[in-house]
Amino acid sequence: MADEVKIDSQTFQTRLSTLTQAWKTDRRSTDALFGGVGSIVVLMGKNEEAASYHKNNAMHYWLLGYEFPATLMVFTPDALWVVTTTKKAKHLEPLKGGKIPIEVLSRSKDPEQNAKQFERCLELIKSSGKKVGILAKDTAAGPFAEEWKKAYGDMAKDFEEVDITPALSIAALAVKDETELRNMRDSARASTGIMTEFFVEEMSEVLDEEKKVTHKQLSDKIDQKLDDPKFFQNLKSKLAADFDSQQLDWIYGPVVQSGGTYDLKLTAQSDENNLHAGTIIAGLGLRYKSYSSMVARTYLVDPNEAQESNYKLLLSVHEAIIKEAREGVAIKDLYNKAISVIKSSKRPELEKHFVKTVGGGIGLETKDIVLAINAKNTRVLKDGMTLYIFTGFTDIENRQPQDKKSKTYSLLVADTIRIRRDQDPAVFTNGAASDTGSVCFFFKDEEEEAQPKKQSKKDPKVGAVAASNITKTKLRAERPGQVDEGAEARRREHQKELAQRKQQEGLATYSEAVGDENGVAQKKFKKFESYKRDNQFPSKVKDLAIVVDEKASTIVLPIMGRPVPFHIQTVKNASKTDEGEFAFLRINFLSPGQGVGRKDDQPFEDPTAHFVRSLTFRSRDVERMDSIADQITNLRKNAVRREQEKKELEDVVEQDKLTEVRNRKPQRLENVFVRPAMDGKRITGEVEIHQNGLRYIDHRGSKIDVLFSNVKHLFFQPCTHELIVIIHVHLKNPIMIGKKKAKDVQFYREATDMQFDETGNRKRKHRYGDEEEFEQEQEERRRRAQLDKVFKRFAEEVQQAARDEGWGVDIPFRELGFNGVPNRSNVFMQPTADCLVQLTEPPFTVLTLDEIEVAHLERVQFGLKNFDMVFVFKDFHRPPVHINTIPVESLEPVKEWLDSINIAYSEGPLNLNWSTIMKTITADPHEFFAEGGWSFLAAESDDEDAAEEEEESAFEMSDSELAVSDESSEDESDFDDDASADEGSAASDESAGEDWDELEKKAKKKDRETGLEEEDSGGRKRKR
């Protein structure tokens, strides 16, 4: 064991220098801290297993990293003398040669020599001054300690003893370096891990199953967890990679208290009483690599309002103390802050129940009384100090006790913190939640909701027809689709302002200095590697034959007597042809200038290099050539499929783990379906609200987790005018549900009731016709209203659980909705406060309004019954979204809605090629906005209006032409009657011998001769 002792010489010298430097600085000033001592004596007796360290133990661990029993240390400002056994002296010898001299005296079996060593130490003390620093509460015992005390006692009358305990705390032990803080963090994480991931689970199980388990038994279970290294490896609060659970040891508890008997001292022990479902206090502390931390929590089971209120007050006091703890603050100010919070609260009488000391220093020592947090301690906090905050109320009277053991209760919250400069302290034990939502357990069944008040019965013969079904007018002109000229003028002015604003924003965003190729996403050249070394080639290449290596996705071709590998991604295609007795295999490769897809060419690292476009191989083995061609084709197909799958899933994120609610039953919404359905099967399940997300569990046990941090929008759609009621979650990043990715997760329940009896029941026997039908309609309305109420309340609970995420429940405005075709089917689109949505039929549509740049209305012209709407996004690389076939009756409401949410819109008579437009924009956004930006959409609409006016003006006649026309018409009127009669008879005579087919052929022939048919067809094409 001795061979394993390795003392860090650098750390030893650094810390010894820190102590002596503080000592010298104090001597040069006022001697306030060290009391003017010339030497310090630290005596260590025999090894004793104690629950906590004392100053002598702490000094050994601080300097050496180990405890050296039977050792004497004498410090002076300029040297350190150590008296110890021979074996220990060997480990101290390497420490010599530093900035501060060290003298190591090895004891032997000769009593006289040992006495002389003590005499030399006493002479050193005497020569350093009359004042000598000692530890007032010296606990050293054993033969070595007794021998030194006897030698020192003979000369004690010549010295003035000064208690050096405060000086060692402040100058050496209180302020921690990074290594010490790291050990304390690991200790704190281990402590909170045991508290949250084991104790809370065990306690919940005991209470939920109403087991009879004593406090002692529960504490023993926690104690045994220290010997389970796998437990610490699997903790959610990740420990350091080199964490060694074998170096953990208890310093406090574990202690569990309940049932009206509480002891808030660190020396408290768990008793033999059974765990009581009321107020439960649990505390524990661990030491890791000699550095300590502690945590304590109070858990309230079915608390009343007074208990919750008192706990919230204690929590506010606890948080106020932590927030006050900063560098430069006097320790007593922390306690005074706590008292002031209690006095200014609604329960100032709780001050008498408040603990007298709310913590102290912690580290190598479990409880450093020098830094005790009370009303008298004037010492000042420094950066790097570590404290335990121990806040509690003792023996509070419960005026509404749940049972005999709940008449009095205590409350306690304890954390380990680190003081920091100019900022709030770091709470090492914040992994154990202390908010009311985490510590309050509710096991009693929730009270049933109050029954709705009975409504007075209406006369079934009156009011069977709803007033909303009676239309106010039948006149088409009075419908709301008519254009309001005043509203149109107002919209035009507002749209001009929005267009100018968009133009200014575009010029500012895409200035000439903008990098990233003016916003153009450049394709990157992909490198493919077949083999890293020659020995990875397939063994068949030795035959200099064509080898298709599916494992490496490579084709190895024999060229000039050498096997040359080609990755399948470099191959365009392969074909095989037969000529006579030979079969020819042609392999075409990708090269610059060849289109490899419908959109763009594949980028190359050096397009100017020489490329092999194709290779042709000849063979008499026709079957082998067939097989190779098929293998290459299949390998290419598989490679393309993998690339497509990879591209499709590249935006799918792996969510963090869901943190389940452990201290109570999670809020649930039962009997709901989910879309998209898992495994394609429609099975009911339930949705649960947990600490950081939602979990859907069906009856087979399959789960879908949705974290609040990944939610972009939450919608509630009532079942009014719908067959289902919906809670819809739109995600920021897609997740995998089964084998498919999904960006929308929907929970719904059908609103129609299929359970009622149509064959005749008791009610039906005595009621007939309209009376029963009316009652069924009333029941249907009540059921739908109740369903909406349940789903809306659950959505609000989700919003409350995720209140820190910044999103809320959005409800569609049905009165602003309109029909359209965003995908394939005609659906009802509905605006919300933040989006435009369609949530009833998959695929769902969710468009975030803040992400829209402009909207364009297409096919807006007289005579058409429908128009289309296109949304262009601020991210120009995102393809525009089309909503087609919107009824023209919705044109004015859509314009009014777009204008009201400050979205700039334009309209035109034709459908535009948006893929070409967006390519032009992304190629150079700055040039696009410099040339007018989106004004080309409005210009197109103005040009069309001008063309229509020109077309109409071609038919206008001047006054002179009109006069000539009138004269000619008067002249022709003399022959009006006769001419018409003659024409009619002539036409009938001429066509009497011809049928309709012959007449049609003649008409087509005449059209071809005059070119009219081509002109008409061209006009039709232009119109389309």
Side-chain angles (χ1 to χ4, degrees), residues 532-800:
K532 292 184 178 180
R533 294 178 297 275
D534 293 345
N535 57 7
Q536 293 180 338
F537 276 84
S539 57
K540 295 180 181 180
V541 299
K542 296 178 182 179
D543 302 332
L544 290 179
I546 300 176
V547 178
V548 180
D549 187 357
E550 295 184 2
K551 186 176 181 182
S553 298
T554 299
I555 306 168
V556 183
L557 302 177
I559 300 177
M560 306 294 290
R562 298 182 63 86
V564 181
F566 292 87
H567 197 277
I568 193 62
Q569 294 290 354
T570 65
V571 176
K572 184 178 181 182
N573 54 42
S575 61
K576 176 249 178 188
T577 57
D578 297 331
E579 291 184 13
E581 61 180 356
F582 291 101
F584 291 85
L585 177 66
R586 180 183 177 92
I587 302 175
N588 297 317
F589 298 95
L590 299 174
S591 58
Q594 288 182 314
V596 297
R598 291 181 298 172
K599 294 186 178 180
D600 298 309
D601 288 344
Q602 177 172 320
F604 291 87
E605 189 173 21
D606 183 11
T608 62
H610 294 282
F611 287 83
V612 177
R613 284 211 166 184
S614 65
L615 291 174
T616 303
F617 294 86
R618 187 182 70 173
S619 174
R620 285 190 172 90
D621 193 346
V622 179
E623 292 183 0
R624 173 166 167 74
M625 285 298 177
D626 273 333
S627 175
I628 291 174
D630 291 341
Q631 290 179 38
I632 295 174
T633 303
N634 293 333
L635 194 61
R636 178 66 185 163
K637 286 181 180 178
N638 293 335
V640 171
R641 189 184 70 253
R642 285 195 299 269
E643 283 292 316
Q644 290 175 346
E645 290 176 354
K646 185 178 179 181
K647 186 176 181 180
E648 184 181 355
L649 299 178
E650 63 184 2
D651 57 345
V652 176
V653 298
E654 184 176 351
Q655 299 184 116
D656 295 333
K657 290 185 178 179
L658 186 77
T659 305
E660 298 182 23
V661 174
R662 298 291 188 182
N663 54 353
R664 57 179 172 80
K665 294 179 181 178
Q667 294 167 311
R668 290 187 175 94
L669 183 63
E670 299 177 342
N671 297 324
V672 295
F673 298 97
V674 66
R675 291 195 291 194
M678 292 185 287
D679 301 328
K681 296 180 180 179
R682 186 171 173 270
I683 302 176
T684 59
E686 58 185 24
V687 190
E688 299 176 345
I689 304 176
H690 290 276
Q691 290 187 17
N692 64 336
L694 300 174
R695 167 168 287 174
Y696 174 82
I697 308 175
D698 64 16
H699 297 318
R700 300 172 303 176
S702 301
K703 298 177 182 178
I704 298 176
D705 291 343
V706 178
L707 297 190
F708 294 143
S709 59
N710 193 31
V711 174
K712 189 174 184 180
H713 298 292
L714 176 68
F715 302 100
F716 160 68
Q717 180 174 297
C719 56
T720 308
H721 304 292
E722 299 286 353
L723 297 177
I724 56 176
V725 58
I726 296 170
I727 291 177
H728 187 97
V729 182
H730 183 65
L731 305 177
K732 297 176 183 176
N733 299 297
I735 61 173
M736 294 301 295
I737 298 180
K739 296 181 180 180
K740 296 182 180 180
K741 73 173 184 177
K743 202 170 183 179
D744 293 271
V745 182
Q746 185 179 103
F747 310 107
Y748 70 96
R749 189 187 298 173
E750 294 179 350
T752 55
D753 187 7
M754 305 300 293
Q755 306 294 327
F756 59 85
D757 185 8
E758 286 280 10
T759 60
N761 51 28
R762 289 186 179 180
K763 289 184 178 180
R764 191 175 178 87
K765 289 178 182 177
H766 301 285
R767 293 176 174 84
Y768 303 92
D770 293 343
E771 181 181 354
E772 184 183 11
E773 185 177 347
F774 176 70
E775 286 191 3
Q776 289 178 355
E777 289 177 359
Q778 292 289 85
E779 179 63 27
E780 177 76 11
R781 290 194 201 98
R782 283 195 293 269
R783 186 172 58 253
R784 283 174 173 266
Q786 180 64 20
L787 201 56
D788 287 344
K789 181 180 178 182
V790 171
F791 269 67
K792 185 178 181 181
R793 184 172 65 245
F794 187 79
E796 290 171 349
E797 289 170 351
V798 174
Q799 175 185 347
Q800 179 64 21

Side-chain angles (χ1 to χ4, degrees), residues 458-489:
K458 296 181 179 180
D459 188 354
K461 298 180 181 179
V462 180
V465 180
S468 60
N469 293 333
I470 303 175
T471 56
K472 295 181 181 179
T473 179
K474 292 184 179 179
L475 300 180
R476 191 178 302 170
E478 296 182 14
R479 292 181 182 175
Q482 301 298 316
V483 178
D484 186 347
E485 294 182 359
E488 180 67 21

